Amino acid sequence: MSRSSELFAAAQKRIPGGVNSPVRAFRGLARTPFFVDRAAGAKVWDVDGNEYIDYVGTWGPAILGHAPPIVVQAVQAAAKHGLSFGIPNPLEVEMAELICAWIPSIEKVRMVNSGTEATMSCVRLARGFTGRDKVIKFEGCYHGHVDSLLVAAGSGALTQGQPESAGVPADFARLTISLPFNDIEEVRAAFRENSGQIAAVILEPIPANAGLYPPREDFLQLLRAECTAAGALLIFDEVMTGFRVGRGGAQEIYGIKPDLTALGKVIGGGLPVGAFGGRAEIMDQLSPDGPVYQAGTLSGNPLAMAAGLAQLRELERRNGWQLLEALGQRLEDRVRASLQRLGRPLTFHRIGSMFCLFFTEKPVSSLATAKESDPAQFAEYFRRCLDAGIYFAPSQFETGFISTAHSVADIDATAAIAAEALNLLPEPA
Ligand code: HOZ
């Protein structure tokens, strides 16, 4: 029995499902998870000594790879001054100034401890600011495990076949209107039917929790216009895309100014961090200035601020986004060439350093079309890649992440192993 199997057996006795976040359980993959011993750069090593090229990257934060020395040193230096204060500290101000400089729609920002906290706080603030209760979200978009947003949710919830969670009162869910992504007519109809009642529209501008698919041309612009016309706030959940698809996130790429933005992952350099920010007049509704309450003992934690600042500055110093685009393009070129050579025109999406292979030949632009992907084919492909030392996300409904630590040799080796795995897949049933 492997050490990972022993640990998983022990974990299942004391941790629900043996994991602290559902998608890590490898359900539906006819495999049990490996337990990690250490990680550095683009690699992780499990407790049995196996080495993997990692494309999960701690689900997004590891944009410079694992344990980059500059981030580790920043954390060590900060730790010498204290682990947590619960008192304002200078690093929080530096972080706030950096975020506002890089993301112009954010005039004021507050730090929290996770992406879930960030989206939850955005929704509360939007309700407080507008005096309205209803929220529009999109099927397959995942905004953390916030009660009112666990409706038609993506990511782990979707992977486990539970996009609606037990424990969410029907009265909460009733305030959430879930619509198909990329369908502006449905949004217009929802605004008409709920005139004067919609506090906000929240979305991942590039959905990355039901696989990865881009917004259709104009969809984000039209959403912006509809929200403005209806007096509702537009909330971008850039927990995944923030600082990853570009310095200013997806909103910079598409040229849209949301009213509020939720951030996480990359901003913490691997430590638990989230942030939310937006127009000053909205943010000023937060306590202690305004009536919307929000707080956190560990918010603005000095280690997390130091890690995030070091990572973001290093990314900029190295023009990391250009490097990530080049690595992403290289992977894409090789994957597309193999799909063509094998006569398997599967749908492959890539935006910068984020990518996803769907086991369907049909176009994917929504949750319904993402679900056309064949789960059995995905599971077989995932297992073959893992056995050959490539760790892709253990779910069809997650996204792959490239880091600046991936070398050209890593990308080429990955593409070759992926091609071999595809070649050995049985024909779809
Ligand atoms: N739902 C997270 C990614 N979209 C995964 C969280 C985790 O398992 O760490």
Side-chain angles (χ1 to χ4, degrees), residues 61 83-86 89 92 110-121 145 239 263-276 294-305:
L83 301 178
S84 172
F85 307 125
N89 72 78
E92 296 171 86
R110 188 164 270 181
M111 302 308 300
V112 290
N113 301 290
S114 69
T116 293
E117 269 190 63
T119 57
M120 178 185 76
S121 305
H145 59 100
V239 169
L263 297 165
K265 301 205 186 262
V266 167
I267 201 177
L271 272 75
V273 182
F276 67 102
Q294 186 279 328
T297 297
L298 296 173
S299 297
N301 173 271
L303 271 55
M305 296 303 95

Side-chain angles (χ1 to χ4, degrees), residues 20-25 56 58-60 142 144 154-157 208-209 240 265 397-399 401:
N20 282 313
S21 191
V23 76
R24 300 180 196 175
V56 177
T58 185
W59 301 95
Y142 177 71
S155 189
N209 279 292
M240 282 216 185
K265 301 205 186 262
F397 301 117
E398 299 286 356
T399 289
F401 298 103

Side-chain angles (χ1 to χ4, degrees), residues 256-282:
I256 306 286
K257 269 193 164 187
D259 299 295
L260 290 173
T261 300
L263 297 165
K265 301 205 186 262
V266 167
I267 201 177
L271 272 75
V273 182
F276 67 102
R279 274 168 39 211
E281 65 164 329
I282 304 170

Side-chain angles (χ1 to χ4, degrees), residues 214-388:
R216 279 201 188 119
E217 205 185 332
D218 288 354
F219 181 63
L220 300 179
Q221 281 85 349
L222 292 169
L223 269 185
R224 175 66 279 178
E226 291 298 325
C227 285
T228 303
L233 301 189
L234 180 63
I235 305 172
F236 273 12
D237 176 347
E238 295 229 47
V239 169
M240 282 216 185
T241 50
F243 311 110
R244 177 167 281 279
V245 295
R247 200 182 83 142
Q251 55 193 271
E252 178 180 72
I253 295 181
Y254 293 103
I256 306 286
K257 269 193 164 187
D259 299 295
L260 290 173
T261 300
L263 297 165
K265 301 205 186 262
V266 167
I267 201 177
L271 272 75
V273 182
F276 67 102
R279 274 168 39 211
E281 65 164 329
I282 304 170
M283 294 300 288
D284 285 342
Q285 295 302 307
L286 283 174
S287 185
D289 283 346
V292 179
Y293 197 72
Q294 186 279 328
T297 297
L298 296 173
S299 297
N301 173 271
L303 271 55
M305 296 303 95
L309 284 166
Q311 171 149 284
L312 294 171
R313 288 181 178 141
E314 180 66 1
L315 255 180
E316 186 174 52
R317 190 188 69 75
R318 295 177 56 193
N319 201 351
W321 299 283
Q322 214 170 1
L323 175 59
L324 291 167
E325 172 60 28
L327 290 167
Q329 187 66 59
R330 191 172 180 101
L331 181 69
E332 177 173 355
D333 291 346
R334 277 154 183 68
V335 171
R336 290 203 188 285
S338 333
L339 292 173
Q340 197 172 15
R341 197 174 57 250
L342 297 168
R344 299 284 311 270
L346 299 174
T347 297
F348 180 79
H349 287 163
R350 179 188 70 85
I351 299 167
S353 57
M354 302 167 76
F355 64 90
C356 179
L357 178 65
F358 291 98
F359 288 81
T360 174
E361 296 173 11
K362 297 183 190 156
V364 174
S365 59
S366 62
L367 174 62
T369 47
K371 283 166 93 175
E372 293 280 333
S373 185
D374 181 339
Q377 294 251 316
F378 169 78
E380 183 68 23
Y381 170 76
F382 169 81
R383 280 196 303 272
R384 286 186 185 280
C385 290
L386 191 68
D387 289 343

Side-chain angles (χ1 to χ4, degrees), residues 1-11:
M1 199 185 199
S2 69
R3 182 77 187 117
S4 279
S5 306
E6 284 170 4
L7 281 166
F8 193 50

